[in-house]
Amino acid sequence: MKYLFDGHKLIWHLDRVYDHYRDGKRIYPLHIDIGATKKCNAKCVYCYGTFQKMSGEVIPHDALVGLFHQAPKLGVKSITVTGDGEPTLNPAMWDALRVGKEGGLDIGFATNGISLNSAQVTCILQNCVWCRFNLSAVSPLGYQKIHGVPLWDKVKENIEKMAWTKEWLGSPCTLGLQMVLIPDAIDEVIPEAQFAIDHHLDYFVIKQFSDPGCDELSRFALDWYDKPEVMAILKQAEAMSTDKTKIVPKWNTIAAKGVRPYDRCVDCALLFQISGSGKCYPCGYLFGDDRYCYGDLHKQSLKEILDSERYWEVVKEMRERFDVHTECRGACRHDAINSFLWQYLNPPDHLSFI
């Protein structure tokens, strides 16, 4: 398997890029990220949801299932269930996954793994292209310190259940772990890499902390990643990769530390994001900021939002006026796509000299 966690895949979707960025057509997004709820059963010390203000809302059944039903009909190719809450806490999730798969969507599922039961494990494996456990410690003490609840044994059991159920079903669903690397987790990197290998998971990806600039989350300076001892542990973990299990530090994003080689957020027409509140925005950093809200799934269908003048006004605002250097923070979900599109829209001289 070849994984690309630290870049983008737009070169395989250039038809949509050309339609919008060269020919000026109004297009539907390629991909949607959705948070199905704004509540969680963990208390991770690095949680971006702290900044996004977890309110306990849940997207209702008809709105969530309707989204998964309508999205592929509009040409949306994939949905990742992730975002500002724990998706297993939305009871409509399982019907939505089945409807999306039946419609031809590629679906990814990110979970903390706390509340999974056998039926939900099977549903994910039968309907999703991949499933990722968000996990930054594999020792009981480390897990409680970082994730805020004494539930490592339960999470471990559910990961193991997912792994052997995949084998029993013969499911092609890719299974992996994702660590948000912070200083409190550095001693967990090698044990978690070994855990992934021992349980025959497909990958273990190590990503940077995204600092939105709020006091509750700004716990360390990002130059910590440059320390020789941190780099050494990441390289040691990467070298543990096997033919079955890939250990993947996100080197490019870790090195970038939120510095952006572009000036505007130009990719919003391709990547659509939905908060667990049901409101839709350009990105997670702007969740809750009504100045940038496209629409609300409680009141509108996906198609109604995407066809609205309001949606295209916000897309234009992000592309032409929004200053990414002063108006947003953190390791951006859109970063690699924006970098590519910014260069495409602002080509260098002498293009014939390839």
Side-chain angles (χ1 to χ4, degrees):
M1 297 291 288
K2 297 179 180 178
Y3 304 114
L4 181 58
F5 296 112
D6 207 13
H8 68 88
K9 303 184 180 89
L10 276 186
I11 57 174
W12 290 277
H13 302 284
L14 290 178
D15 55 340
R16 199 83 61 104
V17 172
Y18 292 159
D19 283 348
H20 182 60
Y21 295 95
R22 183 185 64 183
D23 297 339
K25 296 179 181 178
R26 290 188 173 186
I27 60 170
Y28 292 124
L30 278 166
H31 177 79
I32 293 174
D33 281 347
I34 182 169
T37 176
K38 287 184 75 70
K39 61 181 179 179
C40 191
N41 46 8
K43 300 176 182 177
C44 306
V45 296
Y46 55 72
C47 180
Y48 208 81
T50 301
F51 169 72
Q52 294 169 326
K53 308 302 180 188
M54 302 295 279
S55 58
E57 295 166 272
V58 174
I59 297 178
H61 181 278
D62 288 353
L64 188 66
V65 175
L67 171 79
F68 277 73
H69 174 73
Q70 190 174 74
K73 296 180 183 298
L74 300 177
V76 175
K77 294 185 178 296
S78 58
I79 290 181
T80 296
V81 183
T82 180
D84 43 352
E86 169 52 37
T88 59
L89 300 181
N90 187 329
M93 194 71 259
W94 318 109
D95 285 343
L97 295 185
R98 285 187 283 266
V99 166
K101 172 67 180 300
E102 290 170 0
L105 277 175
D106 284 342
I107 304 171
F109 197 88
T111 176
N112 61 29
I114 291 173
S115 64
L116 284 172
N117 60 41
S118 296
Q120 293 167 353
V121 164
T122 300
C123 183
I124 291 170
L125 290 171
Q126 290 178 335
N127 294 288
C128 294
V129 174
W130 57 262
C131 177
R132 179 185 76 217
F133 289 87
N134 298 322
L135 180 68
S136 292
V138 293
S139 68
L141 288 177
Y143 184 88
Q144 182 165 357
K145 181 178 182 181
I146 294 171
H147 295 288
V149 288
L151 296 173
W152 166 238
D153 289 342
K154 179 64 175 174
V155 173
K156 180 175 181 288
E157 176 186 336
N158 285 336
I159 296 172
E160 291 170 344
K161 182 188 300 181
M162 183 78 78
W164 67 253
T165 304
K166 172 186 172 176
E167 184 175 351
W168 179 67
L169 291 174
S171 168
C173 181
T174 300
L175 297 184
L177 309 176
Q178 177 177 271
M179 168 185 277
V180 175
L181 181 59
I182 59 174
D184 286 347
I186 191 65
D187 292 336
E188 300 281 345
V189 172
I190 301 303
E192 187 161 341
Q194 191 62 53
F195 178 88
I197 293 166
D198 292 344
H199 290 81
H200 309 290
L201 301 180
D202 296 296
Y203 68 84
F204 167 42
V205 64
I206 306 161
K207 65 175 286 186
Q208 73 302 321
F209 166 67
S210 184
D211 183 359
C214 66
D215 292 340
E216 297 96 324
L217 295 178
S218 299
R219 297 174 178 269
F220 66 99
L222 295 181
D223 60 4
W224 173 80
Y225 292 115
D226 299 329
K227 291 186 175 183
E229 58 269 30
V230 175
M231 290 290 105
I233 288 174
L234 291 177
K235 290 177 182 177
Q236 180 185 348
E238 185 177 45
M240 293 170 67
S241 293
T242 68
D243 289 342
K244 167 61 178 172
T245 306
K246 303 304 179 187
I247 315 299
V248 187
K250 294 179 70 172
W251 294 114
N252 293 337
T253 314
I254 289 171
K257 299 181 184 65
V259 178
R260 296 169 171 79
Y262 50 90
D263 297 332
R264 303 285 181 265
C265 192
V266 296
D267 77 328
C268 297
L270 295 168
L271 174 55
F272 189 86
Q273 292 188 249
I274 304 171
S275 168
S277 68
K279 292 186 175 182
C280 308
Y281 301 89
C283 70
Y285 183 81
L286 298 176
F287 282 6
D289 189 335
D290 288 341
R291 293 176 301 169
Y292 300 99
C293 181
Y294 297 141
D296 188 342
L297 291 178
H298 290 88
K299 302 173 182 177
Q300 303 155 277
S301 70
L302 176 65
K303 187 176 190 304
E304 287 171 337
I305 294 171
L306 293 173
D307 287 344
S308 70
E309 290 303 317
R310 168 64 181 173
Y311 169 69
W312 287 104
E313 287 169 1
V314 176
V315 169
K316 183 177 181 180
E317 170 72 20
M318 300 302 293
R319 178 171 171 174
E320 296 182 1
R321 290 181 290 275
F322 188 85
D323 185 344
V324 301
H325 306 297
T326 61
E327 297 184 76
C328 62
R329 290 279 302 271
C332 182
R333 169 75 174 85
H334 299 249
D335 190 66
I337 310 173
N338 272 327
S339 296
F340 171 79
L341 290 173
W342 186 254
Q343 186 173 20
Y344 177 75
L345 293 169
N346 298 276
D349 293 336
H350 313 304
L351 288 179
S352 299
F353 296 84
I354 61 172

